[in-house]
Amino acid sequence: MLKGIAASAGVSIAKVYKLETPVVFVTDEKISDVEAEVAKFNAAMEKTIADIEGIKDRATKAGRLSAEEIAVFDAHLMMVQDPELAGQIVSMIKDQSVNAGYATELVSNMMVMMFESMDNDYFRERAADVKDVTFRLKANILGVMIPDLTAIDEESIIVAHDLTPSDTAQLNEFVRGFATEIGGKTSHSAIMANSLEIPAVVGCAGVLGAVKTGDMLALDALDGFVVVNPTEEEVAAYKAKAEAYAKEKEELKVLVNEPSVTTDGHHVELAGNIGGFKDVAGVLKNGGEGVGLFRTEFLYMDAEDWPTEEEQFIAYRQVLEGMQGKKVVVRTLDIGGDKHLKYYDFPEEMNPFLGYRAIRLCLDQKDIFRTQLRALCRASVYGQLCIMFPMIATVQEFRDAKAIYEEEKAKLLAEGVAVADNIQVGMMVEIPAAAVLADQFAKYADFFSIGTNDLIQYSMAADRMSQKVAYLYQPWNPSILRLIKMTIEGAHKEGKWAGMCGAMAGEPNAVPILLGLGLDEFSMSASQILKARRIVKSLNKKDAEALAAKAVACDTADEVLALVKNTLK
Ligand code: PEP
Ligand code: MG
């Protein structure tokens, strides 16, 4: 049994599909039979075309990818069928007697260099496509198998070091979950698993070495365990756990279209956290009343260079349209800390979580910020947009950020571009200084969203990534509850709304207290929404207020938890 992090809820038992990226190694050995080598290349080319067509077909049938994502496969097909590519490789084989694999590598390197040096995003992105396609070609020349996740046709649990976004995009209905060596609750693969609603255990060190394809695996993504080749009793226990979870999920479905109202008529908003358009369907399917946090950093992290205004505009428009007029809170770039970019070197710092990140970077490198704000303003006419600045510590920072937004908005309007007139501009409250001064911030911000993931780490001086000090990660500590209380009261004093998009918002044991403290909006992963709704519907606002008052007067987190559990009983 191995311990990991339960990143996307569920339990499943299935055979292991061990995902390993193959090594494709070419040598510069010369050949004597040129015609045979050309024939070998042509055969590899045919197989590559058939492989990509197969992947495209299966991905299309699985119906999980957008048209845009499917189009990537068409681009790859066009590239591999481009006579220019094959022509150059064949000439090299014929003229220089190099082997097909080596010729492919040389031509690929040249094309990649050429694309990468171009002063145009579109062509620079093509370099990645050339690498992808020629990797397949070389593998087929050498007879090396490339794993094709779309070809999985029996119930499987994928075990991998990590899953890339394109790996996760290829998962079909036979995939019952995955376990990865690295990653945390908020890593890309975890967020994707939540949106696809498949169980996932991440950060499970040693799992890759502990399994081989075909082993049985019990994946407990409720408590974060992986059991390799479980005994009969273990299989029975996990099957029962899986059934209980599935039954609960089924029972919760009746709440999809219900309002989130307490027994005494108090309404709150239950929204979903998303990392991109892919997650929108999950939020709607689970009865989300809006998006309370769109983490735009994924747009930047998945790109090969700073995403352009146009690329961002398309992404924001898609999400706003997808949410069909429901509120969407888009957080401006929150990069730095543990989130890095391939194309930007962050300064070396002793404590990156306390360093140059998020709004600090955006206020320093204003062009990056302006591009994002312009894209957001342009997309605003396609839905109900709220813009939110991350990591705000001072009122001055908020004012400066808002002023840049106002400038870009005014410029667009002067250019004759339509911008919605109902955009709300708010901020994350995730630094204790902002919580303490919330009543002042509320004079400027249209709303707050409390980021407990960071608020707790900064309040307790306990790194959210460190296992050693994980015991200090205490959402129920009365000190945290008091900061939350101050934030909500600060907002309400100025007639503004207060939400929460940190992980605490979706914790069943936190919902009654947060409701009692007056939280207006709760934003969580889509799979948690219905459970939260069931809790809200079972509570009375007055009782919740009494509970919250008792909780903030407690000494310890354990006392608070005991109080809540007693109430929920
Ligand atoms: C938070 O800090 O609570 C939050 C929602 O932001 P992130 O987890 O992306 O830092
Ligand atoms: Mg944060």
Side-chain angles (χ1 to χ4, degrees), residues 540-553:
N540 175 302
K541 175 85 185 326
K542 285 271 165 306
D543 293 345
E545 282 169 5
L547 169 74
K550 274 193 213 156
V552 293

Side-chain angles (χ1 to χ4, degrees), residues 35 43 89 108 174 202 246 266 321 403 411-412 423 433 463 505 519 525 541 554:
E35 287 314 315
I89 296 172
S108 163
F174 293 106
V202 301
H266 176 75
E321 286 184 335
K411 273 192 234 164
L412 283 166
I423 303 175
D463 187 337
L519 194 73
S525 53
K541 175 85 185 326
C554 282

Side-chain angles (χ1 to χ4, degrees), residues 260-268 515 518-520 536 540-541 545:
S260 313
V261 186
T262 60
T263 53
D264 51 345
H266 176 75
H267 185 267
V268 292
L515 182 75
L519 194 73
D520 302 296
V536 168
N540 175 302
K541 175 85 185 326
E545 282 169 5

